[in-house]
Amino acid sequence: MPTRYYIRAGKSVLLFYTIALLAIALIYFTSSAQYRQIDTFIEFLQRGVKLGWMSLFLAVFGLAYPFIGYTRHFIPHANTLTAEEKDTIVAVFTNARFTLRQDDGQTFVFRHKNAFTRLMRVYEDAITVDYSGKGLTVEGLRRDTDRLARSIEWKLNREQQNES
């Protein structure tokens, strides 16, 4: 397994635990005192919530999430990218509120512009576009990678048709 898996899995587990704790705290502190049979929040966690089962579920889901939440798309492309095609790829990401953070001549690395969005994605929002070989490989968070890879493929195909 690649090392990115372990980092993503750890961040996912931590994020799911944090969200669950915030949801439980919200339920406890917004409920009326007359309906609460347990006086303290710690006691509520110990007696009212099945922490063992919930922790196990969140841990398993967090460990499985990198397999579900991240993907890699291959976009066939007959030749190496021209400067115009590279500009098209950058424009697709710019329109989707991403900024180009790195271009080493073989890969682009894009990150989301919005700091809150980056925080909610636990700073695992980087999308890489590898254009070193025949074709492009777009890798990153599934929700963005699917949409952006299809958009890149459509625009590059449209440019090739316009040239013909």
Side-chain angles (χ1 to χ4, degrees):
M1 271 185 240
T3 56
R4 289 288 336 148
Y5 166 78
Y6 297 112
I7 293 168
R8 288 175 175 167
K11 287 181 176 183
S12 297
V13 168
L14 183 65
L15 177 68
F16 295 142
Y17 278 142
T18 303
I19 290 171
L21 183 63
L22 289 174
I24 291 169
L26 182 68
I27 291 168
Y28 177 79
F29 289 113
T30 59
S31 64
S32 176
Q34 67 186 18
Y35 295 115
R36 278 193 236 147
Q37 297 173 351
I38 301 171
D39 292 331
T40 66
F41 181 65
I42 301 297
E43 191 178 338
F44 175 72
L45 284 176
Q46 291 171 345
R47 289 192 341 188
V49 179
K50 302 289 186 195
L51 283 180
W53 286 109
M54 187 175 74
S55 295
L56 180 65
F57 171 76
L58 292 173
V60 169
F61 189 69
L63 293 173
Y65 185 72
F67 295 117
I68 301 165
Y70 297 90
T71 189
R72 178 180 297 158
H73 280 279
F74 179 75
I75 302 170
H77 197 266
N79 46 10
T80 58
L81 288 179
T82 64
E84 200 172 278
E85 291 171 330
K86 289 179 184 179
D87 291 340
T88 300
I89 292 170
V90 172
V92 166
F93 278 90
T94 301
N95 289 338
R97 299 186 43 89
F98 281 83
T99 57
L100 178 62
R101 294 291 172 99
Q102 181 183 350
D103 178 11
D104 62 6
Q106 294 183 342
T107 58
F108 289 131
V109 177
F110 295 93
R111 294 206 179 266
H112 205 279
K113 287 181 183 178
N114 189 323
F116 182 73
T117 301
R118 294 194 67 215
L119 175 68
M120 293 309 296
R121 295 177 182 178
V122 219
Y123 296 98
E124 287 294 329
D125 63 328
I127 297 179
T128 59
V129 179
D130 183 0
Y131 58 91
S132 60
K134 294 288 184 185
L136 306 168
T137 304
V138 183
E139 182 179 1
L141 194 62
R142 182 178 299 275
R143 69 183 339 160
D144 295 321
T145 303
D146 287 340
R147 174 176 46 91
L148 293 168
R150 278 184 271 135
S151 200
I152 290 169
E153 186 172 15
W154 182 79
K155 289 210 181 233
L156 291 179
N157 285 339
R158 195 175 88 198
E159 281 184 7
Q160 285 178 348
Q161 289 173 356
N162 288 342
E163 290 175 2
S164 310

